[in-house]
Amino acid sequence: MEHTGTALDTPIRFETHPSRYVHWRLAIEAPIARLVMDIQEDRPLRPGYPLKTNSYDLGVDIELADAVQRLRFTHPEVRALVITSGKDRIFCSGANIYMLGSSTHSFKVNFCKYTNETRLSIEDASAHSGLRSLAAVNGACAGGGYELALACDEILLVDDASSAVSLPEVSLLAVLPGTGGLTRVVDKRKVRRDLADVFCSLGEGVKGRRAVQWRLVDETVPLSRFAERVPEEAKTLAAQASERSGPGVELLPLAGRYSEEGIEHRYVSLSIDRAARTARLTLRGPEAGEPATAAAMRERGSELWALRAFRELDDVLLDLRFNRPEIGVIVIETRGDAARVLAADRALHDNCADWFTSEVLHHMKRVLKRLDLTARSFIAVIDRGSCFAGSLAELALAADRSYMLAADGGPTLAFSALNQGALPMSNGLSRLATRFLGEPARADVPLDRPFAAEGALEAGLVSFAPDEIDWEDEVRLAIEERASLSPDALTGMEASLRFAGPETLETKIFGRLSAWQNWIFQRPNAVGEKGALTLYGKPERPRFNWPRT
Amino acid sequence: MEHTGTALDTPIRFETHPSRYVHWRLAIEAPIARLVMDIQEDRPLRPGYPLKTNSYDLGVDIELADAVQRLRFTHPEVRALVITSGKDRIFCSGANIYMLGSSTHSFKVNFCKYTNETRLSIEDASAHSGLRSLAAVNGACAGGGYELALACDEILLVDDASSAVSLPEVSLLAVLPGTGGLTRVVDKRKVRRDLADVFCSLGEGVKGRRAVQWRLVDETVPLSRFAERVPEEAKTLAAQASERSGPGVELLPLAGRYSEEGIEHRYVSLSIDRAARTARLTLRGPEAGEPATAAAMRERGSELWALRAFRELDDVLLDLRFNRPEIGVIVIETRGDAARVLAADRALHDNCADWFTSEVLHHMKRVLKRLDLTARSFIAVIDRGSCFAGSLAELALAADRSYMLAADGGPTLAFSALNQGALPMSNGLSRLATRFLGEPARADVPLDRPFAAEGALEAGLVSFAPDEIDWEDEVRLAIEERASLSPDALTGMEASLRFAGPETLETKIFGRLSAWQNWIFQRPNAVGEKGALTLYGKPERPRFNWPRT
């Protein structure tokens, strides 16, 4: 039976904590952390599919994402992460097929997007937190299991005459290795395309010497030496990263209040209009002055406005994606004191050499990327009382369009150094640079003066600046019109218009690879009655329609 | 009724000639050519949809592609191309919706791919043949009509208080402007993403001064001055390009023989095994020595081996795409004398400053790109008697994988200067550079000696080199296995693995944009019973499923 995916009986929550992990064990022995995947097959996120052979579902990935995040904030002393399995002879067999087969299209797509973001967060931690990662592949490593390994800096494969790495999606399931697999094989590990072609169409995978020769893994290690070689290599990786000084910062629970009507966090609210299929997303600036030194910011910890507000935003975005699929248009509002946001931004910018400050910035960056990748229409409404300044102004730039009230004493828009490259999009450019690809000089906005509506319009910083007479109607109409359009066409349109300019490994995964996977997730050859995904594990063989497309 | 798309009652042919154009008038007054779109609504490619309001189908695009190609070869004296319409108050209303609505998914996707290739050929002509293009938009310009204009170097829009440019696909049809529209708006014309968002979700489009301010067109011209301004601007464009000396080269008919069993051209054959769903594609090298000077090559004209053989290959690829959709695996073979191919390549390389030689090379490049973009599995079989040398060796590099017989006196593989950048892929790299992204030094293959199987395998130039004992079984099994896999999964896999490395406007169109469009072309919101594409032109309003994906 297909899960509806439109209104979950039990909404999915994205906060967790190592003390509550079901499927992972996190053990820290600085400078090395071991994250052991030991999936409890009787604890899937929803009933109906046992998580056999270390296969994962969204619940497993939520824990993984949490672990990587906490290592960065709470354990700065860790400089190498070993990802391995707690099962004998099996590393990970990938996403659970029965879970996929029984999920709605929308859930499948959002599941893959989330797991992709988690894999990218592992790479982001390596690039920016000096948290090098090592996949210690101690057994069979298939599909999403190998894609997890691909996200690590290095892959060690046990050489026990049977353990192989494989991407059997095409041959077994008639779908793609869509969690970055195809892209990372040729673009990250730079496996030759013809060998990649063989590898990706070969159910049984590749092991031993050939796996190294084909660049699929970095090293194979005899079973007898595996237990000793893994920590040795982890130490080597740890030595590459610069030391960071503790103590770490505990990420405290957000303790949001969730209901049918919306979400209430301290700095972020979501208010749903179910009939209109729209929501109002409100971000509030700091309530008082924020700390200005690195030490004071660490002291404030996860209660620091910039960290807490963006954690809350992240939570709301994920809730929207999974628990409220019918809400198509998100109106972004801000409230607060622009001077406080600009001061908070300045403190972050001036202290970015400090590891904690740097983590806060990279976290803001990742949350904003999550927004760019959220398949909903975002309209920024810059009205009286709004606070689109610095890092909050980034939300106006991330929106598909923006409306700013032109009135005497009306709202202003202000920028900080954070808008000029500290919070890049997946394409590697700042949102200002992406916006002004055609007029690059305009991306260099002045930081010393706020823009009123006319100036902002003139400078190309907002889409429209209606006066008080037109304001209400114009904004209302824009929202209503947007909400009336086909959700699918909007998803494709936004995925194209948001990512102008260069492509990166990251944008290739979400553009090229995911778009093809989404297509395939609709095709009868995969999900039809006789499709391979549908019939997986049953005695009946799939029946394909042969026309190539 | 849906057109089957699997076995056409009347196969589509891709050769035409200006004397037979139905929908376009080509008028040449050097250095300017005018291509006038005057679509005959009662002459669609297949019955069932009148081509009203200058809307197009594949038949219209085949003529356009032919015209651009012939201008390059036959009219070197032309340096500016004006594309305009022969209808009053309407430039072009895009692809015919009833044609799209009544086509199979596979046909839709291949139709868009072909029209995209044609648009890119207009840009290729501007970049490499000094054939600047000007869209003289003399009336309403919607959807594919505007996408055609976007492919031109400049767009002049008549300012008559009603003519607008528009991309109404999202709002009217619940699909994307998939012929490069979304990509070219933000990546070529660098329209600001928020303005692009408004433009692409606004059915009525943008006209007059705003169209210029938003960078959607280059200039608006009052109706009273339009007839005078267009040739004036065309002259300005023509003056930018360097002069090329005639006389031109007539492209003679290929006169292939087509049957259920395959195609016979002079240098290229296709032999179908319908039961196995495979085909053998054989390319033959020159039968005698080819001319070595620019003058002699022009003299030989379209009978020059390099031009004729690649025109034949192009024809076969298009025939496969449209007329033989069930043939999933294409085995590429070559026959002939390697020395003659290498000599022909050398002549092309040494004379590439000559306009005709340059056209031949760019044509070869475009055909090979067409192969890269053909959604079939290609397996190169390098057996005894084969002739994978230079430009023909490029076919082995373009294949998804290659098998080379290892035997005494067995086949060899040889390279020419043409393999080193003269025939780039859509990603801007040579196939050797793409192949060896991970080991760039290997891309610099020696040109002075042929590789036998072991050497080729060692150098990473072929995938496998079985000996005579294993040869037959290994090749047969590879073909059979490939043919047994899901055609959709293979399409997505190949689209990912073939395009490692950088992305360009071109790869973004075929990767990101087309992949999303293909997805949308499957969605009930577009093509379901109550979908917008299905209900277009009917009184009933579409009914959407609201979950965002």
Side-chain angles (χ1 to χ4, degrees), chain B residues 69 73 117 124 268 281 283 306-318 321 359-374 378 394-395 398 423-424 431:
Chain B
Q69 182 103 299
F73 279 105
E117 289 168 325
D124 189 69
V268 180
L281 173 64
L283 282 94
L307 180 51
R308 182 168 182 119
F310 279 77
R311 285 178 71 213
E312 292 174 355
L313 175 57
D314 207 32
D315 182 67
V316 167
L317 292 171
L318 291 172
R321 284 192 192 169
E359 287 303 340
V360 172
L361 284 168
H362 284 294
H363 177 262
M364 295 166 95
K365 171 194 76 179
R366 291 194 301 282
V367 175
L368 289 164
K369 285 183 181 183
R370 182 106 79 190
L371 192 156
D372 294 333
L373 287 166
T374 296
F378 291 96
E394 203 66 19
L395 294 161
L423 306 169
R431 283 176 192 76

Side-chain angles (χ1 to χ4, degrees), chain A residues 6 105-106 109-110 113 170-171 174-176 182-183 185-187 189-198 200-202 210 214-215 277 325-328 372 374-377 397-403 425 431 434-439 442 457 459-464 481-503 507-508 510-516 518-520 522-526 544-549, chain B residues 6 105-106 109-110 113 170-171 174-176 182-183 185-187 190-198 200-202 210 214-215 277 325-328 372 374-377 397-403 425 431 434-439 442 457 459-464 481-503 507-508 510-516 518-520 522-526 544-549:
Chain A
T6 56
H105 180 70
S106 162
V109 168
N110 277 292
K113 190 179 282 180
V170 169
S171 59
V175 300
L176 301 185
L182 293 178
T183 311
V185 163
V186 290
D187 275 307
R189 296 197 62 93
K190 300 185 166 54
V191 174
R192 240 171 55 205
R193 55 166 283 197
D194 58 333
L195 303 178
D197 181 88
V198 174
C200 298
S201 47
L202 203 68
R210 177 174 265 194
W214 288 17
R215 308 170 68 99
R277 287 176 287 97
E326 297 208 350
I327 306 304
D372 295 333
T374 296
R376 308 296 165 96
S377 301
L397 300 174
D400 295 297
R401 52 174 101 159
S402 53
Y403 291 80
M425 300 175 59
R431 281 174 194 77
T434 303
R435 184 177 189 84
F436 294 120
L437 273 180
E439 305 160 283
R442 291 196 149 195
L457 188 70
L461 295 163
V462 296
S463 317
F464 299 102
E481 275 176 19
R482 188 66 158 210
S484 75
L485 298 178
S486 159
D488 310 318
L490 287 177
T491 291
M493 180 181 101
E494 290 156 6
S496 295
L497 299 182
R498 289 178 187 171
F499 298 95
E503 299 262 345
T507 62
K508 280 181 93 156
F510 292 112
R512 181 179 283 277
L513 178 58
S514 300
W516 281 110
N518 294 355
W519 174 70
I520 289 164
Q522 289 261 299
R523 300 285 287 163
N525 286 339
F544 294 139
N545 306 316
W546 292 114
R548 285 286 293 246
T549 299
Chain B
T6 55
H105 181 71
S106 161
V109 167
N110 276 294
K113 189 178 282 180
V170 170
S171 59
V175 301
L176 301 185
L182 293 177
T183 311
V185 164
V186 291
D187 274 306
K190 299 184 166 54
V191 173
R192 243 171 56 206
R193 57 166 282 200
D194 58 333
L195 302 179
D197 181 88
V198 175
C200 298
S201 48
L202 203 68
R210 177 174 268 193
W214 287 18
R215 307 170 69 100
R277 287 176 288 96
E326 296 208 353
I327 305 305
D372 294 333
T374 296
R376 308 297 165 94
S377 300
L397 301 173
D400 296 298
R401 53 173 99 161
S402 52
Y403 291 80
M425 299 175 61
R431 283 176 192 76
T434 304
R435 184 177 189 85
F436 293 120
L437 274 179
E439 305 160 281
R442 292 196 148 195
L457 188 70
L461 295 164
V462 296
S463 318
F464 298 103
E481 275 175 20
R482 188 65 158 211
S484 75
L485 299 178
S486 158
D488 310 319
L490 287 177
T491 291
M493 181 181 101
E494 291 157 5
S496 295
L497 299 181
R498 289 179 187 171
F499 298 95
E503 299 260 348
T507 62
K508 280 180 94 156
F510 292 113
R512 181 179 281 278
L513 178 59
S514 300
W516 281 109
N518 294 355
W519 175 69
I520 289 165
Q522 290 262 297
R523 300 286 286 162
N525 286 339
F544 294 140
N545 306 315
W546 292 114
R548 283 287 293 245
T549 300

Side-chain angles (χ1 to χ4, degrees), chain A residues 142 165-169 171-172 198-205:
Chain A
V165 296
S166 65
L167 291 176
E169 284 87 345
S171 59
L172 278 189
V198 174
F199 175 64
C200 298
S201 47
L202 203 68
E204 70 266 29

Side-chain angles (χ1 to χ4, degrees), chain B residues 134-155:
Chain B
L134 174 65
V137 180
N138 57 322
C141 175
Y146 181 52
E147 290 177 304
L148 175 59
L150 283 168
C152 295
D153 292 310
E154 284 190 13
I155 306 175

